[in-house]
Amino acid sequence: MHLVTVATQLDQWSLDFEGNCERILRSIAIAKSRGAKLRVGPELEIPGYGCLDHFLEGDTILHSWEVLATILQSEEAKGIICDVGMPIEHKNNNYNCRVIIHDGKIAMIRPKMWMANDGNYRELRHFTPWHKHRQLEQHSLPGMIRRITGQSHVPFGDGVVSTEDTVIGVELCEELFTPASPHILMGLDGVEIFTNSSASHHELRKLNRRIDLIKEATMKLGGIYLYANQQGCDGDRLYYDGACLIAMNGQILARGSQFSLSDVEVVTATVDLGAVRAHRTTSSRRMQSAQAEAYQRTYIDTRLDGGQGIRVGDEETKGSSEVTYHTPEEEIALGPACWLWDYLRRSRTQGYFLPLSGGIDSCATATIIHSMCRLVADAASKGDKQVIADARRITGEPEDSTYLPTNPREFASRIFHTCYMGTEHSSPETRKRAKDLAEAIGAYHTDLNMDTAVSAVKGIFSLVTGKKPQFAVHGGTSAENLALQNIQARLRMVVAYMFAQLLPWTRGKVGSLLVLGSANVDESLRGYYTKYDCSSADVNPIGGISKTDLKKFIGWAETKFDLPILGSFLDAIPTAELIPLGADNVAQSDEVEMGMTYDELSVFGRLRKVEKCGPYSMFGKLVQEWGSFLSPTEIATKVKHFFFTYAINRHKMTTITPSVHMESYGPDDNRFDLRPFLYPSRFSHQFKKIDALAENLPDRTTQPGADKTKLD
């Protein structure tokens, strides 16, 4: 028998109950228009996944029931089984639930059993896991729902839903990733369709893990897997990357976009349950199935094939085991760009302002904005009404305007503002690069010198103290040298916010701009930036991306976006341009000042966070990895220097600008990387252990044929 199934991805927004309800109903209407009888939506789609501590408020649960009441009474939800997500209080505990509804009634409520509580996830803070496996209880419905459904109580717990022609089981997000996933036992007990409602966020090079697990699950068990995911920025540092899909027997039948500006996306597939049953005829599977413990079933009096058995003219969707993925460079171009668009339109501001230094980091930020403008232009060209409406509002167009943002450079000239903030230490080369890049992408560009402001602050200090600080090249101490650099950097932040508030006014517009920061993940980890400088901004699109990946992205964008100017940024030596040139006339170099390369920083960051290494275990791992070209003593020096500089700068993470999460070793102190910010910076015990071990290890670099050139 053939049936049509649906998985959706929605760009929900935390606590936007009316908007979330509208998007849910729209997705159901699209599903029905395609002949579907089963619709699955993202995790906690009614209130939005990112409500965080608002989940502890009774109001959030109350308003979720009110939205569910609207859905139950809607024409859209008639004649189709809908799997909808919301928080529910049961016996004074909050649960993350799926509510299975059909024709104005609730069939079952399935609470989440295994919580995501690592990295960016803190579900145990807000929800209780359901640990009564294969057990159902009765849940007392609120009065507003009783009056609609005529039900006083409904099944609540770990059960499955049976229709006339198949059995449906629910698996919730993290449960797919656990070693003993629920789909295994459900599949052995006859469940043929698995639904997974997720709120899985984007991270570079991560999507394949999710898809591989779904393929493996349906290959081993046989079955149809409907994976629905949230997409977009719902008010936090995460970009949920969609990629909803339908899989059957190890084949991917349909898949949604990973990056999109669309609020609602629905994928459908026409599948044959007979193929699932044929896949399950292996002897070993039948033996395990016969021994499987039974799930309690709730029943819905309907057929997913619409009662037709064979749907004449509905060709079965063909699957493929091959899956294509975006390259990391494409992920950088698309993920932060989509997140920035959501942030811009939902903050109801008039655009972005970027201090454009002529260096590669601010260049990367500007290029991501260019990518955002390209996505807007593409969506507008395809007639996306929501994107067009948002673009008109952001640009200040009247309600009856016919403006279409179909040219990315023209659109950028309206919403993207850049400024080169030079001092006496800035070079003509960086000033020209900034101007040329702004012109290439269409930004509204300004150029200024800040020497007057810097001199004024230095003058105030000298007037009060009677002391005149000097740079190191002029005989000043390291404290003087650092303070004179920091005042330039911090004044740039002050000027940036002044310009962001008033530039629209100077152009005859109303409103203000969001300030963009440009500190990459490696510099944040090392603390190589000034606290409250122009890295302090409203949002930072590259704060979760390594310098190494940013360089590759710029090289890719030079060709892909036809921006030849980007090549000059790749060729330039990274420099802050905050100090005078020395006697050798050599400019300030970031890597020389940091005492480590960006490639080394990426390695340190991954070992510290992903491999969970302290100083001693990091040294042990790097002796294995780097021992052929660095001596144990040299490796020890590098590890100790990293941890010392990391420790003395960790306090900066408490004020870091919110950035879209992209990298598994990000140091964001808000939720992802929880650490002290006052360290014993000398790590005396750990460093002594490292030194003792280094002295006793052989130096392989002295052996014949050893390569002492560089890190790979």
Side-chain angles (χ1 to χ4, degrees), residues 353-367:
F353 177 88
L354 172 66
L356 193 56
S357 69
I360 199 164
D361 290 329
S362 62
C363 163
T365 298
T367 305

Side-chain angles (χ1 to χ4, degrees), residues 11-21 23 46-48 346:
D11 193 346
Q12 302 296 70
W13 190 9
S14 297
L15 302 178
D16 179 21
F17 290 99
E18 290 184 356
N20 292 346
C21 181
R23 286 182 283 272
I46 287 180
R346 288 174 169 172

Side-chain angles (χ1 to χ4, degrees), residues 61-76:
I61 295 175
L62 169 66
H63 299 325
S64 295
W65 280 117
E66 290 167 347
V67 170
L68 183 66
T70 300
I71 296 171
L72 283 165
Q73 297 177 90
S74 69
E75 283 302 313
E76 290 89 340

Side-chain angles (χ1 to χ4, degrees), residues 202 204-205 259 326-338 340 354 359-375 437 441 518 520 541-567 569-570 662:
H202 176 241
L204 286 171
R205 307 170 179 91
F259 307 106
H326 289 291
T327 65
E329 292 77 19
E330 291 170 333
E331 291 184 82
I332 293 170
L334 298 172
C338 292
L340 284 170
L354 172 66
I360 199 164
D361 290 329
S362 62
C363 163
T365 298
T367 305
I368 289 171
I369 291 289
H370 176 65
S371 178
M372 182 195 81
C373 293
R374 290 170 63 97
L375 290 172
L437 176 59
I441 62 179
S518 295
N520 63 64
I542 69 166
I545 308 173
S546 72
K547 190 81 159 189
T548 302
D549 280 336
L550 285 175
K551 288 180 178 179
K552 292 177 181 177
F553 162 64
I554 293 299
W556 171 87
E558 180 182 5
T559 302
K560 185 67 176 181
F561 292 162
D562 190 22
L563 294 172
I565 181 61
L566 297 183
F569 287 85
L570 286 172
M662 294 281 286

